[in-house]
């Protein structure tokens, strides 16, 4: 009887051991599949990312695309490790945000440029603006400054000579039409077109609102704009193999072709 119990016990140990080995094997196999969580703005970033997703799938990498409708959460999520990377901003915004929030984030490279535009449902040309016209611009430092520089380029205002990419309203030294400039959250700007004479809107929010920058904007930045949209990761992860493959996919010929054919100049490849 004792011998039977010993033999039975030995068999049970062997069975349990076998299951344990099989379980570890299954877990190891699963861990070999890589997933990148990429935070993006819905348009055009998510649309561009979907092209990269198909490319990465062929390399055994799953690209999980997470959409955001603001310019704050994507950077915080990367810093907290909730996202592998994000793709929605340009370098001046990244530097300003990272400094303000004491974050350690790094650009991995640029993908495209979205020329900022001036839109209106009340005038067809900037020359039609009347004295005291209402103007809406983004309220974050970099995009607000960018909007002011665009207004200056169009001859509507004049800024202090030392006003840079983060130019502020208080740096306006000449406003011949006495424009009433209001700062609002960038995502809200398309929604206030009925209440303002003109609004300076980022292309991603313009596209998301059904506006066609090439046809609907009454003025736009030149294609030599320095505001290239970049892929950002937590500092230290920029040389990660999966991240490098993500950048390779986002700057592939397939993505360039998609950008050229889909946006027809409203979005310009930067590679």
């Amino acid at each position: 009887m004792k011998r039977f119990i010993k033999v039975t016990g030995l068999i049970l140990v062997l069975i349990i051991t076998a299951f344990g080995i099989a379980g570890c094997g299954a877990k190891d196999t699963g861990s070999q599949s890589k997933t990148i969580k990429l935070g993006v703005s819905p348009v055009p970033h998510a649309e561009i990312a979907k092209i990269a997703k198909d490319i990465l799938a062929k390399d055994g990498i799953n690209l999980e695309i997470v959409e955001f409708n603001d310019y704050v959460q994507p950077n915080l999520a990367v810093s907290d490790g909730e996202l592998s990377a994000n793709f929605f901003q340009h370098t001046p915004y990244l530097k300003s945000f990272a400094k303000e929030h004491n974050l350690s984030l790094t650009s991995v490279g640029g993908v495209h440029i979205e020329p900022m535009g001036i839109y209106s449902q009340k005038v067809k040309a900037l020359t039609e603006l009347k004295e005291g016209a209402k103007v809406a611009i983004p309220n974050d430092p970099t995009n607000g400054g960018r909007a002011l520089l665009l207004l200056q380029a169009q001859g509507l205002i004049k800024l202090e000579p030392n006003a840079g990419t983060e130019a502020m309203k208080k740096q306006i030294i000449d406003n011949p039409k006495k424009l009433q400039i209001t700062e609002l959250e960038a995502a809200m700007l398309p929604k206030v077109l009925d209440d303002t004479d003109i609004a300076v809107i980022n292309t991603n929010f313009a596209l998301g609102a059904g506006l066609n920058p090439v046809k609907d904007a009454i003025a736009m930045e030149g294609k030599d704009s320095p505001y290239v949209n970049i892929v950002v990761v937590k500092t230290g992860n920029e040389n990660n193999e999966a991240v490098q493959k993500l950048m390779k996919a986002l700057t592939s010929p397939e993505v360039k072709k998609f950008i050229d054919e889909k946006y027809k100049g409203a979005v310009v490849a930067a590679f």
Side-chain angles (χ1 to χ4, degrees):
M1 185 66 178
K2 289 183 179 180
R3 184 176 180 182
F4 174 77
I5 292 172
K6 287 181 180 180
V7 172
T8 304
L10 178 61
I11 292 172
L12 287 172
V13 169
L14 291 173
I15 292 172
I16 292 170
T17 303
F19 271 108
I21 294 171
C24 289
K27 186 175 181 180
D28 290 341
T29 300
S31 66
Q32 291 175 359
S33 61
K34 297 177 181 178
T35 294
I36 302 175
K37 291 184 70 173
L38 179 67
V40 298
S41 295
V43 183
H45 306 80
E47 296 174 341
I48 294 171
K50 287 175 184 175
I51 305 301
K53 180 181 177 73
D54 293 337
I55 297 171
L56 289 168
K58 298 175 184 177
D59 207 5
I61 297 174
N62 173 45
L63 181 62
E64 183 179 338
I65 302 169
V66 184
E67 296 187 12
F68 292 84
N69 287 302
D70 71 283
Y71 284 167
V72 176
Q73 295 306 315
N75 276 335
L76 297 179
V78 168
S79 180
D80 292 340
E82 296 174 13
L83 294 175
S84 310
N86 67 44
F87 171 40
F88 76 98
Q89 65 193 317
H90 47 64
T91 298
Y93 181 82
L94 169 65
K95 289 182 177 179
S96 175
F97 189 94
K99 182 179 180 181
E100 180 183 353
H101 295 271
N102 194 29
L103 302 180
S104 185
L105 302 173
T106 299
S107 167
V108 188
V111 178
H112 71 275
I113 300 170
E114 302 170 20
M116 182 175 268
I118 300 177
Y119 297 82
S120 177
Q121 292 182 353
K122 297 185 178 180
V123 299
K124 294 183 179 180
L126 295 176
T127 53
E128 298 176 12
L129 286 175
K130 297 179 181 179
E131 186 172 309
K134 296 179 180 179
V135 180
I137 67 172
N139 65 355
D140 63 273
T142 51
N143 286 304
R146 182 180 179 185
L148 291 174
L149 290 171
L150 178 55
L151 293 175
Q152 176 175 252
Q154 297 301 316
L156 294 174
I157 61 171
K158 186 175 181 180
L159 296 163
E160 293 176 356
N162 63 343
T165 56
E166 294 189 8
M168 296 177 286
K169 284 170 57 177
K170 66 181 182 181
Q171 291 179 294
I172 297 174
I173 57 176
D174 190 21
N175 183 2
K177 290 194 174 184
K178 297 181 174 59
L179 301 175
Q180 300 179 45
I181 301 175
T182 302
E183 297 168 315
L184 299 170
E185 186 180 346
M188 294 297 297
L189 291 170
K191 299 177 182 179
V192 300
L193 282 172
D194 287 336
D195 303 316
T196 59
D197 293 289
I198 60 172
V200 188
I201 306 175
N202 294 79
T203 291
N204 60 311
F205 290 127
L207 290 170
L211 295 168
N212 183 325
V214 175
K215 295 180 180 179
D216 297 329
I218 54 179
M220 289 187 73
E221 288 176 325
K223 293 183 179 179
D224 58 348
S225 166
Y227 297 92
V228 176
N229 278 228
I230 55 178
V231 175
V232 172
V233 298
K234 191 170 185 176
T235 302
N237 293 337
E238 55 268 32
N239 294 318
N240 178 281
E241 183 182 359
V243 169
Q244 288 299 314
K245 287 183 178 181
L246 170 64
M247 275 309 302
K248 185 177 180 180
L250 284 170
T251 54
S252 64
E254 294 95 325
V255 167
K256 186 178 188 307
K257 181 181 179 182
F258 173 79
I259 291 174
D260 292 344
E261 293 179 354
K262 172 75 174 178
Y263 304 111
K264 303 183 187 302
V267 177
V268 183
F271 56 90

